[in-house]
């Protein structure tokens, strides 16, 4: 027996998306299984068992189940890698952050390391069988070498920000005292007062610089500031030395406040997690300790802790944090509600449908917390640029201080002063901080509108999208089918509907589910027959036996496959043909309703710079062309099987080989196409888990206009990034040139460093929509 009650299995050779859904469904029905979640893209399934069981025996049983559904797929238990997250309290140097991420990631025991400079957190994935406690000690030593003075703490469930707040208060008090003493020093012109003021303002910078020098680390902003200001003191430029340190600290303070403001925008989303769940007996427990089918109570004003179904009560839910809609949504018995919503008016009794780890709030938190892992090309370029740029600048300053005096009539003090101005003005902080902050701010703005972007790389790619390919059902249309026509051939209409209802009840296809729901709500005296030998034929339809008769139900391809003659129906909609014992007995026409916002969204996308809109559909030609023409699409491809969508999308990408192509879908059959697109957009946060896993961007509700909002936010974000880069480099190179060929002052150098940083940061924080 093992003490673990969950396992993750790799499904080697799994290529059929439909089979994946059947495997997940079948395993979930096992008595010993509490929940199973299959990720088609990663080809693995995570299984949570009800009790401690013999893992080895159950893997063998699961292998047998999978082999009956998809022969040839091999099951292999996945090793569990260890993760930790560390808080780096006091981290304000973006360049140091990139060094920490790089050097921790290069450790032999580390598989991957990702540092989020905005959240000041370092997420580390270790290799198997590693002593985590020992590695934390080693990492702390490494971090101290790179950036002395940081407090490194293991993240727990409730982060304590008091230390950070105290540090900010101390820094503000130092700045105010330093500014007051600086004014007095200027009035009295006392050297000793200048030196005292300098020590108060710059002691931490000097200490860090000295520690770094002893470790052989020269090229960081502490070194630059210390070298420039100590040099100014040596040549008796006391006011300039103190001014540089004062404004450097002021800039650092405002930089931290600006980053904090952006952090709050993201934390407002992170705070959607409920702190507790209330059981029927009134006991409050951690949501992570609640199981599927447990009954919990949600009082007015409380957050919904887990995805659930209402079994008693009605209320209005505030879902603004999830989907960006400010209007409360009315819910009552039978409705599914999402974790992260806020119950506004009345108490609700609900039955939990998903454990915390699989709930909507958990998915969102995972997406947000990992959004900094996928860095954009621009961010990576700036990081590399800073590594090369800083050493070149320091060497250039050294050259400026030594070589020109040998060939000009000016003394060494004159050129040393120039080199110090050169050093102060050249610091790359404005770029290193403002670029990732711009992306982070953009991701935060999108999340507020119910658009979850999984990283800045996808934000940048979205801004460059030229072509958007849409799935039809559930994306451009509501995915709600209504029976608009019934055609019979020697059979009663109700009898035909009973046959259709009985077979469709066994299918997981969206059209089937809609037909079943329509019949239940609109057809009186509907009956369910016992279906034997049921079979779902991918891309064609259903097959089964009712009372000894063989029933075929599906599209025209199915009847053609069995050489059955039938009446061709040309009505707009999806045609479901029915045959009994190889004879046509009738059909139903089901019509999918186009979303109200679809046509307007297509027009908005074209105005936003999308040159081509395309639809892929498994529906027949007449229906697909009707939808495409109605909403204004440029191209349409129809009668596609799931595997046809993949090959068709590959062809579209080949035709647009130098352009970014996005795909928008919502179902498990869309997952392969979402994964292979430049930007995969999954519609509906409550849609297929596989589609959400495979996508790069998740629209939390089914509003197509959110795609347009996301594109506008991404374009504005990239424009801000570009403007920050151009502005920062233009100012810096102008001041550097003026320093060499003219007579730039230390005050101008301070503006080129601190002033440009603050302006770039404020620009990064601008509204994106």
């Amino acid at each position: 027996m093992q003490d673990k009650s969950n396992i993750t299995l790799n499904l080697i050779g799994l290529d059929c998306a439909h089979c994946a859904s059947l495997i997940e469904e079948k395993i979930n029905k096992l008595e010993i299984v509490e929940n199973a979640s299959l990720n088609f893209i990663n080809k693995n399934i995570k299984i949570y068992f009800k009790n401690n069981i013999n893992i080895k025996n159950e893997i063998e049983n699961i292998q047998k189940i999978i082999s009956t559904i998809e022969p040839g797929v091999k099951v292999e238990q996945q090793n569990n890698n260890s993760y930790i997250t560390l808080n780096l309290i006091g981290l304000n140097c973006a360049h140091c952050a990139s060094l920490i991420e790089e050097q921790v990631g290069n450790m032999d025991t580390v598989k991957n390391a990702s540092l989020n400079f905005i959240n000041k957190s370092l997420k580390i994935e270790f290799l198997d069988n590693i002593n985590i406690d020992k590695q934390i000690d080693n990492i702390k030593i490494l971090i101290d070498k790179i950036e002395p003075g940081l407090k490194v703490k293991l993240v727990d469930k409730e982060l304590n920000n008091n230390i950070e707040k105290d540090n900010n208060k101390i820094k503000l008090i130092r700045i105010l005292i330093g500014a007051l003493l600086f004014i007095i020093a200027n009035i009295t012109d006392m050297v000793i007062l200048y030196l005292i003021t300098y020590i108060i303002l710059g002691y931490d910078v000097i200490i860090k610089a000295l520690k770094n020098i002893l470790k052989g680390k020269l090229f960081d902003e502490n070194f630059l500031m210390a070298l420039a200001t100590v040099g100014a003191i040596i040549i008796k430029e006391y006011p300039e030395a103190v001014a540089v340190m004062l404004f450097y600290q002021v800039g650092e303070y405002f930089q931290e406040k600006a980053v904090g403001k952006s952090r709050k925008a993201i934390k407002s989303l992170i705070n959607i997690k409920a702190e507790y769940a209330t059981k029927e007996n009134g006991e409050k427990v951690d949501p992570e300790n609640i199981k599927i089918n447990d009954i919990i109570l949600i009082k007015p004003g409380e957050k919904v802790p887990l995805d659930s179904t209402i079994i008693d009560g009605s209320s209005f839910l505030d879902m603004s944090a999830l989907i960006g809609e400010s209007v409360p949504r009315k819910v009552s018995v039978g409705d599914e509600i999402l974790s992260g919503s806020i119950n506004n008016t009345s108490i609700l009794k609900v039955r939990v449908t998903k454990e915390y780890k699989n709930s909507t709030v958990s998915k969102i938190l995972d997406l947000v917390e990992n959004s900094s892992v996928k860095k954009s090309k621009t961010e990576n370029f700036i990081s590399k640029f800073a590594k090369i740029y800083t050493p070149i600048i320091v060497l250039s300053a050294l050259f400026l201080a030594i070589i020109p005096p040998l060939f000009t009539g000016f003394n060494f003090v004159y050129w040393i002063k120039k080199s110090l101005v050169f050093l102060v003005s050249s610091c790359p902080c404005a770029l290193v901080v403002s670029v990732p902050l711009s992306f982070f701010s953009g991701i935060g703005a999108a999340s507020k509108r119910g658009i979850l972007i999984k990283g800045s790389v996808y934000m940048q790619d979205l801004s460059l999208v030229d072509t958007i390919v849409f799935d039809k059902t559930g994306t451009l249309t509501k995915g709600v089918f209504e029976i608009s026509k019934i055609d019979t051939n020697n059979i009663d209409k109700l009898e035909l509907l009973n046959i259709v209802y009985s077979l469709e009840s066994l299918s997981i296809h969206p059209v089937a589910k809609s037909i079943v729901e329509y019949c239940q709500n609109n057809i009186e005296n509907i009956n369910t027959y016992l279906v034997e030998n049921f079979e779902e034929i991918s891309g064609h339809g259903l097959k089964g036996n009712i009372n000894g008769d063989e029933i075929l139900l599906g599209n025209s391809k199915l009847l053609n496959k069995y050489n059955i003659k039938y009446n061709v129906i040309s009505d707009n909609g999806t045609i479901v043909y029915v045959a009994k014992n190889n004879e046509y007995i009738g059909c139903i026409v089901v019509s999918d309703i186009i979303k109200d916002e679809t046509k307007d969204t297509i027009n908005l996308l074209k105005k936003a710079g999308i040159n081509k809109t395309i639809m892929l559909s498994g529906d027949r030609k007449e229906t697909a062309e009707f939808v495409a023409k109605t909403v204004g699409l440029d191209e349409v491809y129809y009668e596609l099987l799931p595997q046809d969508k993949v090959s068709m999308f590959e062809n579209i990408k080949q035709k647009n080989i130098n352009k970014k192509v996005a795909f928008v879908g919502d179902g498990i059959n869309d997952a392969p196409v979402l994964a292979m697109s430049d930007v995969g957009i999954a519609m509906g946060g409550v849609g297929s888990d596989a589609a959400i896993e495979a996508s790069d961007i998740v629209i939390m509700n089914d509003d197509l206009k959110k795609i347009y909002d996301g594109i506008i936010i991404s374009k504005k974000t990239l424009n801000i990034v570009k403007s920050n880069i151009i502005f920062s480099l233009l100012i810096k190179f102008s001041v550097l040139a003026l320093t060499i060929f003219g007579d730039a002052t230390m005050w101008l150098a301070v503006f080129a460093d601190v002033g440009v940083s603050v302006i770039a940061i404020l620009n990064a924080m601008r509204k994106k929509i």
Side-chain angles (χ1 to χ4, degrees):
M1 297 289 285
Q2 298 200 11
D3 57 356
K4 292 183 180 178
S5 58
N6 67 79
I7 58 171
T8 300
L9 301 175
N10 292 325
L11 306 181
I12 302 166
L14 178 65
D15 296 312
C16 170
H18 176 62
C19 301
S21 64
L22 292 177
I23 290 169
E24 184 181 67
E25 184 180 29
K26 191 81 172 178
I27 293 176
N28 268 308
K29 289 181 179 178
L30 293 174
E31 289 184 0
I32 59 169
V33 172
E34 193 167 274
N35 183 54
S37 177
L38 192 148
N39 184 325
F40 177 69
I41 301 306
N42 293 334
K43 297 185 181 181
N44 63 40
I45 183 168
K46 192 160 189 176
I47 305 169
Y48 296 89
F49 296 97
K50 292 179 181 176
N51 300 301
N52 289 333
I53 45 88
N54 188 309
I55 298 288
K56 186 176 180 180
N57 289 345
E58 293 312 320
I59 291 176
E60 291 175 0
N61 294 334
I62 289 165
Q63 173 73 79
K64 291 176 184 177
I65 292 170
I66 292 173
S67 295
T68 60
I69 299 171
E70 179 72 333
V73 173
K74 291 183 179 180
V75 175
E76 179 181 275
Q77 187 170 359
Q78 189 179 94
N79 292 323
N80 291 321
N81 293 310
S82 301
Y83 293 86
I84 61 165
T85 302
L86 300 174
N87 275 342
L88 308 183
I89 301 166
L91 177 65
N92 294 315
C93 170
H95 178 59
C96 303
S98 65
L99 288 175
I100 291 170
E101 180 181 68
E102 180 183 0
Q103 293 190 27
V104 172
N106 288 335
M107 292 176 67
D108 293 338
T109 56
V110 172
K111 187 175 182 181
N112 183 55
S114 174
L115 194 149
N116 187 325
F117 177 65
I118 305 300
N119 286 337
K120 300 184 180 180
S121 64
L122 176 63
K123 187 171 184 179
I124 306 164
E125 177 185 356
F126 292 100
L127 299 175
D128 299 329
N129 303 318
I130 296 296
N131 185 320
I132 302 295
D133 292 335
K134 183 178 179 181
Q135 292 308 312
I136 291 175
D137 292 336
N138 293 338
I139 290 167
K140 285 181 177 178
I141 292 169
L142 177 60
I143 291 172
D144 189 62
K145 288 180 181 178
I146 298 170
E147 177 71 338
L150 293 185
K151 293 185 179 179
V152 181
K153 286 197 171 184
L154 190 65
V155 172
D156 52 20
K157 291 183 179 179
E158 293 183 2
L159 288 179
N160 189 336
N161 293 318
N162 290 335
I163 296 175
E164 202 70 55
K165 290 178 181 178
D166 290 343
N167 287 342
N168 287 336
K169 286 180 181 178
I170 291 169
K171 179 173 276 192
L172 181 59
I173 292 169
R174 279 175 58 201
I175 289 171
L176 292 175
I177 292 173
L180 180 62
L181 291 176
F182 181 53
I183 293 170
I184 296 172
N186 271 290
I187 295 171
T188 61
D189 200 26
M190 294 174 61
V191 173
I192 188 66
L193 201 52
Y194 278 123
L195 294 177
I196 291 171
T197 307
Y198 178 81
I199 292 169
I200 291 171
L201 291 170
Y203 73 87
D204 55 337
V205 175
I206 300 299
I207 290 171
K208 286 181 182 179
L210 289 172
K211 286 183 177 180
N212 289 339
I213 290 169
L214 293 174
K215 295 168 186 174
K217 180 189 165 192
L218 300 178
F219 304 119
D220 72 337
E221 64 177 355
N222 292 303
F223 176 75
L224 290 178
M225 287 300 119
L227 183 62
T229 52
V230 171
I233 289 172
I234 290 171
I235 61 173
K236 299 183 180 180
E237 296 287 349
Y238 304 115
E240 283 82 354
V242 177
V244 168
M245 197 59 76
L246 173 62
F247 286 107
Y248 172 73
Q249 295 288 12
V250 169
E252 285 283 294
Y253 179 78
F254 280 111
Q255 174 183 303
E256 182 59 29
K257 296 294 284 185
V259 172
K261 185 179 178 183
S262 178
R263 192 179 293 132
K264 283 181 182 177
I266 295 297
K267 281 186 176 178
S268 66
L269 185 64
I270 292 176
N271 286 336
I272 62 176
K273 179 184 175 181
E275 294 179 2
Y276 60 85
T278 306
K279 289 187 172 183
E280 285 186 282
N281 61 6
E283 181 188 1
K284 293 181 178 180
V285 298
D286 191 316
E288 295 185 31
N289 295 330
I290 296 291
K291 297 181 179 179
I292 293 172
N293 291 326
D294 281 359
I295 307 299
I296 60 173
L297 303 176
I298 307 169
K299 299 175 183 178
E302 291 183 339
K303 295 169 187 170
V304 177
L306 301 118
D307 293 359
S308 314
T309 300
I310 298 174
I311 58 175
D312 187 29
S314 63
S315 186
F316 285 88
L317 292 186
D318 178 359
M319 301 181 68
S320 57
L322 296 179
I323 60 178
E325 291 180 359
S326 57
V327 180
R329 180 175 295 181
K330 186 176 182 180
V331 291
S332 56
V333 174
D335 288 339
E336 293 183 4
I337 59 175
L338 302 180
S339 51
S341 308
I342 299 174
N343 183 19
N344 276 351
T345 52
S346 306
I347 190 169
L348 295 173
K349 181 187 284 189
V350 303
R351 177 176 284 106
V352 175
T353 55
K354 289 183 180 179
E355 283 190 328
Y356 175 77
K357 62 178 72 74
N358 296 316
S359 66
T360 300
V361 69
S362 181
K363 290 178 191 173
I364 292 173
L365 293 178
D366 185 59
L367 292 180
V368 172
E369 288 168 0
N370 291 299
S371 63
S372 65
V373 175
K374 304 290 186 179
K375 291 183 171 64
S376 67
K377 292 179 181 178
T378 306
E379 281 182 278
N380 288 328
F381 168 76
I382 291 298
S383 296
K384 292 176 182 177
F385 172 79
K387 287 180 183 179
I388 299 169
Y389 170 85
T390 307
I392 291 174
I393 288 296
V394 173
L395 293 174
S396 299
L398 187 62
F399 176 89
L400 194 64
I402 297 172
I403 303 303
L406 300 177
F407 301 97
T408 66
F410 296 103
N411 58 31
F412 277 95
V413 172
Y414 174 83
W415 285 104
I416 289 172
K417 186 175 179 180
K418 274 184 175 289
S419 70
L420 296 177
V421 172
F422 190 90
L423 275 177
V424 172
S425 60
S426 65
C427 188
C429 292
L431 291 174
V432 176
V433 175
S434 69
V435 170
L437 184 57
S438 299
F439 281 112
F440 195 80
S441 177
I443 290 171
S447 68
K448 281 186 175 181
R449 303 184 72 87
I451 308 163
L452 300 183
I453 301 175
K454 294 185 179 181
S456 57
V457 63
Y458 306 121
M459 171 78 76
Q460 184 160 358
D461 286 347
L462 182 62
S463 72
L464 303 172
V465 166
D466 174 84
T467 300
I468 299 183
V469 181
F470 296 91
D471 175 56
K472 181 179 78 70
T473 305
T475 302
L476 297 175
T477 62
K478 292 182 178 179
V480 178
F481 293 82
E482 297 179 350
I483 297 176
S484 57
K485 182 177 181 178
I486 302 173
D487 181 57
T488 59
N489 185 32
N490 299 322
I491 190 173
D492 180 71
K493 283 188 177 181
L494 182 58
E495 177 64 13
L496 180 69
L497 284 174
N498 284 337
I499 291 172
V500 171
Y501 178 72
S502 300
L503 267 81
E504 297 286 26
S505 298
L506 301 176
S507 173
I508 62 171
H509 195 280
V511 176
K513 290 182 178 180
S514 294
I515 291 173
V516 169
E517 188 176 339
Y518 181 84
C519 289
Q520 289 173 340
N521 296 331
N522 298 281
I523 308 298
E524 293 183 9
N525 303 318
I526 194 78
N527 288 321
T528 305
Y529 295 133
L530 176 65
V531 179
E532 298 177 317
N533 302 320
F534 176 77
E535 182 183 352
E536 192 156 358
I537 305 169
S538 180
H540 290 76
L542 311 174
K543 182 181 179 182
N545 289 68
I546 296 178
N547 297 326
D549 296 317
E550 184 181 76
I551 306 296
L552 295 171
L553 184 152
N555 56 29
S556 59
K557 293 178 185 177
L558 181 64
L559 271 62
N560 290 333
K561 181 178 180 180
Y562 287 86
N563 298 314
I564 298 172
K565 294 182 179 179
Y566 58 92
N567 299 334
V568 178
I569 303 297
S570 58
D571 293 55
N572 175 55
T574 299
I575 315 299
V576 180
Y577 294 99
V578 188
K580 182 168 74 173
N581 297 326
N582 289 330
E583 288 188 9
Y584 172 73
I585 60 172
C587 72
I588 63 171
V589 181
V590 290
S591 300
D592 191 3
I593 304 167
I594 297 173
K595 290 180 180 178
D596 297 334
E597 73 273 13
T598 299
K599 188 174 181 179
D600 288 342
T601 300
I602 300 300
N603 290 331
L604 287 170
L605 290 174
K606 290 180 177 178
K607 290 178 181 178
I610 303 301
N611 291 319
K612 193 180 292 183
T613 53
I614 303 171
M615 183 178 78
L616 304 182
S617 175
D619 223 327
R620 62 199 188 97
K621 177 181 178 182
E622 292 82 1
T623 301
E625 287 185 339
F626 171 79
V627 173
K629 184 177 180 181
T630 302
V631 303
L633 297 172
D634 299 312
E635 294 178 19
V636 58
Y637 299 94
Y638 40 81
E639 298 179 5
L640 300 173
L641 299 176
Q643 59 267 32
D644 296 333
K645 285 186 179 180
V646 175
S647 58
M648 184 58 69
F649 189 79
E650 285 177 340
N651 291 336
I652 292 169
K653 283 194 73 175
Q654 283 297 319
K655 291 178 183 177
N656 299 273
I657 196 163
N658 293 320
K659 299 173 183 176
K660 295 289 183 184
V661 181
F663 180 80
V664 185
D666 71 328
I668 190 167
N669 288 332
D670 299 325
V673 190
L674 283 165
M676 68 187 298
S677 61
D678 294 316
V679 181
I681 304 173
M683 294 293 298
V686 292
S688 160
D689 286 348
I692 293 172
E693 289 288 342
S695 64
D696 308 312
I697 297 170
V698 180
I699 308 296
M700 284 303 295
N701 62 3
D702 289 320
D703 186 357
L704 270 174
K705 284 188 177 178
K706 300 286 186 184
I707 300 172
Y708 168 75
D709 290 343
I711 289 173
I712 294 300
I713 289 171
S714 69
K715 286 182 179 292
K716 287 191 175 180
T717 298
L718 264 293
N719 285 337
I720 288 172
V721 169
K722 290 175 184 176
S723 65
N724 274 343
I725 292 173
I726 293 170
F727 171 73
S728 300
L729 291 179
L730 185 64
I731 295 295
K732 285 186 180 297
F733 287 138
S734 297
V735 174
L736 290 176
L738 189 60
T739 302
I740 298 170
F741 303 108
D743 193 22
T745 65
M746 189 67 80
W747 297 95
L748 186 60
V750 169
F751 170 76
D753 175 30
V754 177
V756 168
S757 292
V758 172
I759 292 170
I761 289 166
L762 293 175
N763 188 41
M765 299 300 298
R766 277 197 294 129
K767 284 188 177 181
K768 306 300 187 296
I769 195 168

